[in-house]
């Protein structure tokens, strides 16, 4: 979905640039039409990697049966500058909502909870030397673990981004 939106944004930018450059053209040639992308493209991409959230502020994306787990922007902002990441060993078996590690910052510590049932297949080794990646790129380079999915249906029980935003608003009130 992100790729489709980026493409649409680039097309809009190109259309705006073309419109600005076309001031010397005949009025009939100034209009640039941006085609709508087929819905199947954006929904297929979204189904592969849609970010899902827990009420404990972890997120997961799933691709080819492997979940990548991290903490939300809300969580990293609440923690402040992360100075230590305690992550599990590869091969650790987790049940959904099991505690799997902790993040420590200069002002707080926070436990980490597994969004899914499965086995840890990888940990983000870059966080050992640079735990601040969790703050700089919580949805990118600051991921925490990768895990198999023993029960893929658990993904459907998690919140999508829209539901998570509503959840955040409800706890802030």
């Amino acid at each position: 979905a992100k790729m489709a939106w980026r493409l649409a944004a680039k097309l809009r930018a190109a259309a705006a640039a073309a419109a600005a450059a076309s001031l010397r053209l005949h009025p009939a040639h100034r209009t640039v039409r941006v085609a709508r992308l087929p819905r199947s493209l954006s929904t297929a991409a979204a189904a592969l990697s849609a970010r899902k959230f827990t009420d404990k502020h972890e997120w997961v994306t799933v691709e080819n049966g492997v979940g990548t787990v991290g903490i939300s922007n809300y969580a990293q902002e609440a923690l402040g500058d992360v100075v230590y990441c305690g992550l599990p060993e590869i091969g650790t078996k987790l049940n959904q909502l099991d505690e799997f590690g902790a993040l420590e910052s200069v002002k707080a510590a926070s436990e980490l909870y597994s969004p899914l049932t499965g086995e840890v297949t990888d940990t983000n080794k870059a966080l050992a030397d640079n735990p601040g990646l969790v703050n700089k790129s919580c949805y990118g380079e600051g991921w925490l673990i990768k895990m198999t999915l023993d029960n893929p249906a658990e993904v459907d029980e998690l919140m999508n981004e829209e539901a998570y935003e509503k959840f955040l608003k409800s706890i802030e009130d």
Side-chain angles (χ1 to χ4, degrees):
K2 285 184 183 177
M3 203 157 74
W5 285 110
R6 284 188 198 130
L7 178 61
K10 286 181 182 178
L11 289 172
R12 282 193 298 273
S22 69
L23 293 176
R24 295 177 304 274
L25 297 177
H26 187 272
H29 300 289
R30 287 189 193 160
T31 304
V32 177
R33 295 190 65 104
V34 177
R36 247 183 108 90
L37 294 173
R39 190 161 180 81
S40 60
L41 283 180
S42 61
T43 54
L48 285 177
S49 61
R51 191 174 292 120
K52 297 288 198 126
F53 295 85
T54 70
D55 61 357
K56 304 220 182 274
H57 310 291
E58 280 80 20
W59 59 262
V60 62
T61 57
V62 178
E63 193 164 341
N64 299 323
V66 176
T68 302
V69 179
I71 64 166
S72 70
N73 189 57
Y74 175 88
Q76 71 83 17
E77 285 179 350
L79 264 175
D81 294 338
V82 175
V83 296
Y84 174 76
C85 299
L87 300 175
E89 297 287 320
I90 292 174
T92 301
K93 293 190 184 311
L94 298 169
N95 289 315
Q96 190 176 36
L97 301 179
D98 277 356
E99 187 176 320
F100 72 82
L103 297 178
E104 295 179 13
S105 70
V106 290
K107 65 180 184 177
S110 179
E111 292 78 26
L112 299 167
Y113 298 93
S114 180
L116 305 169
T117 300
E119 183 177 326
V120 177
T121 59
D122 197 7
T123 60
N124 189 344
K125 292 158 195 66
L127 298 178
D129 294 329
N130 190 1
L133 282 174
V134 171
N135 299 108
K136 290 185 188 100
S137 181
C138 65
Y139 297 122
E141 294 176 10
W143 63 272
L144 303 171
I145 64 171
K146 293 186 184 279
M147 64 188 300
T148 61
L149 278 64
D150 286 0
N151 185 358
E154 290 174 341
V155 175
D156 298 330
E157 299 167 9
L158 301 174
M159 293 179 270
N160 63 21
E161 287 197 57
E162 183 181 340
Y164 181 66
E165 290 296 324
K166 286 181 183 174
F167 169 72
L168 291 179
K169 285 188 172 97
S170 76
I171 61 174
E172 288 172 352
D173 291 343

